Amino acid sequence: MSARRTLRIAMNGVTGRMGHRQHLVRSVLALREQGGLDLGDGTRLWPEPVLVGRSEDRLKELAGRYGLDRWTTALDTVLSDPSVDVYFDAQATSAREPALRKAIAAGKHVYCEKPVACDWGGALDLAGRAAAAGVKNGVVQDKLFLPGIRKLKRLLDGGFFGRVLSVRGEFGYWVFEGDWQPAQRPSWNYRDPDAGITADMFPHWEYVLRELFGPVRSVQAHVTTHIPHRWDESGKPYRAAADDAAYAIMELEGGVVAQLNSSWTVRVHRDELLEFQVDGTEGSAVAGLRRCRAQHRSATPKPVWDPDVPADDDFRAQWQEVPGNEAFGNAFKVQWELFLRHVVLDEPWPYDLRAGARGVRLATLARTSAREGRRMAWSAT
Ligand SMILES: NC(=O)c1ccc[n+]([C@@H]2O[C@H](COP(=O)([O-])OP(=O)(O)OC[C@H]3O[C@@H](n4cnc5c(N)ncnc54)[C@H](O)[C@@H]3O)[C@@H](O)[C@H]2O)c1
C-alpha cells in the first residue's frame, strides 16, 4: 500500500456555483474518491479541504453532506494556521484580490478562478507579490483541458490546417432577466460594472488564443449592455450596470485574425454553448466544449451562390468527427492535478498569476477599445 501525504487546502467560495460543483465536488472530492493523486514515487497526495465562506449554516451543511470536518467563516484564522498549505479562491470576482493578497502575505501557495483581479494593475501586483514571496501560484484556465479544445490542439500540432487564417468564436446563450423565469447566473455579474461579460470571458479568450494560435497583438471591440433591467435572486428589480455582450476582432502575432462574439443575450442555434471555427489553407475545424469536426481541403465541397435554387446541401454532414483517442477527465480536475504536482513536486506550470494578469489585460484593452472607439495595440514586450 502506498503512503499518504496530506495537503491542506483552504477553499473559499465553495458555496458558489464554480467553487461547489467544479472545484470541490468534481475536482478535490473526486481526487479523494480515487484514493488521492498518485505522485508516482509510492506516495499518494491526499487533499484535505477546509471550507471557507461567509455563511456558517451553508458551510456546515456542505461539510455534513460530504463528510468533511473542517469549515470556517474566519479567513484570517485559517490563513494563520500553519497546517494549511494552499489557499484557493472561487469567490465572486470583486472579493478575490484582497483575499489573495492576504493569503500570499501569510506564505500560502495560491490558486484561484479567473479573472484574478478586477483590473490589470491589481492582477500584476498579485503576480509580483506571489513571486516575491516565493509561493506557488496559479489561475484556472479550464478551457485548455476541454475535450473539444484538446482535439483542436491535436489537429494544430499535427499540421492539419496548413497556414491558419482565421478563428471565429461564438460563445453565449440567453440568460433570463429574472422576472418571469429566474436568471440562471448570479445577479452580481450584471450589477457590478466590473463583472460583465468582457471581464468574465476575455481572460478565457486570451489563453485559448495564445496557447493555440499565438498571442493577441491588437483588439477592437464593441461592448454593450443590451438588457438594462434585470431581477435579482429575491425577485427585486435592479439596473444592469455590466456589459452583457462583447463583439471583438483581434489580430494575433503571426497574422491570424480572431473574431469573437460573447453574449448573454443570444439564443443558441449551435451545437454547443461555445464553438470555435478555425479556417486554414489545408483544412478547417469546428471545435466546441466536447466535440470537434474537421473538413480537409481534399474533401471540401464547392458551393455555388444561387439564391434561386433551394439550398439542399447538408453542409454539416460534410464534416468528419475528430475522435477522442483518449479518456478526457473533468477539465478543472485535470488542471488541479497539474497544480498539485507543481506544488509538491515542483513540476512545470505555466498557468501562474502572471498568465492570469494577461487575461485581465485583454479584458481591459477590449473595454478601453469600446469606450474610446479605437483599436488597441498590445505590444510584444
Ligand atoms: N472557469 C470558468 O469557466 C468560470 C465559470 C463561471 C465563473 N467563474 C468564476 O468563478 C468565480 C465565482 O463565480 P460563480 O459563478 O461561482 O459565482 P457564485 O455567485 O455562484 O459564487 C460566488 C461565491 O463567492 C462568495 N462571495 C464572497 N464574497 C462575495 C460577494 N461580495 N458577493 C457575492 N458572492 C460573494 C459567495 O458566498 C459564493 O460562495 C467568479 O470569479 C467567476 O469569474 C469561472
Side-chain angles (χ1 to χ4, degrees), residues 252-315:
L252 312 186
E253 193 167 290
V256 174
V257 178
Q259 208 176 333
L260 268 86
N261 294 327
S262 316
S263 177
W264 286 319
T265 53
V266 65
R267 296 184 176 87
V268 180
H269 189 262
R270 265 171 270 134
D271 293 325
E272 303 200 51
L273 299 189
L274 167 62
E275 280 182 356
F276 292 104
Q277 170 157 346
V278 181
D279 289 295
T281 51
E282 299 294 311
S284 298
V286 176
L289 307 176
R290 304 199 64 83
R291 296 180 69 181
C292 182
R293 279 155 286 182
Q295 186 173 90
H296 191 253
R297 178 175 190 249
S298 58
T300 302
K302 191 190 280 183
V304 177
W305 177 257
D306 186 354
D308 298 324
V309 177
D312 48 15
D313 282 318
D314 186 355
F315 289 116

Side-chain angles (χ1 to χ4, degrees), residues 12-19 23 53-54 58 90-96 113-115 140 142-143 185-186 188-189 200 204 207 332:
N12 201 356
V14 277
T15 59
R17 296 183 318 149
M18 302 308 292
H23 295 288
R54 301 178 298 171
R58 297 184 66 192
Q91 295 188 93
T93 304
S94 61
R96 180 161 306 123
E113 262 295 352
K114 45 50 64 178
V140 172
D142 55 292
K143 306 292 174 268
R185 287 178 55 80
W188 61 263
N189 282 274
D200 194 62
H204 289 300
Y207 67 75
F332 293 86

Side-chain angles (χ1 to χ4, degrees), residues 55-84:
S55 158
E56 210 169 293
D57 289 348
R58 297 184 66 192
L59 291 170
K60 207 160 152 182
E61 189 278 317
L62 269 187
R65 197 186 321 166
Y66 297 116
L68 301 169
D69 54 6
R70 292 196 56 179
W71 52 268
T72 180
T73 55
L75 176 64
D76 291 341
T77 309
V78 85
L79 290 179
S80 63
D81 178 348
S83 76
V84 169

Side-chain angles (χ1 to χ4, degrees), residues 320-343:
Q320 194 185 357
E321 191 79 38
V322 177
N325 290 356
E326 61 182 296
F328 299 103
N330 172 285
F332 293 86
K333 177 167 174 274
V334 172
Q335 202 187 356
W336 262 103
E337 291 179 2
L338 293 176
F339 178 69
L340 295 177
R341 298 180 73 86
H342 171 59
V343 169

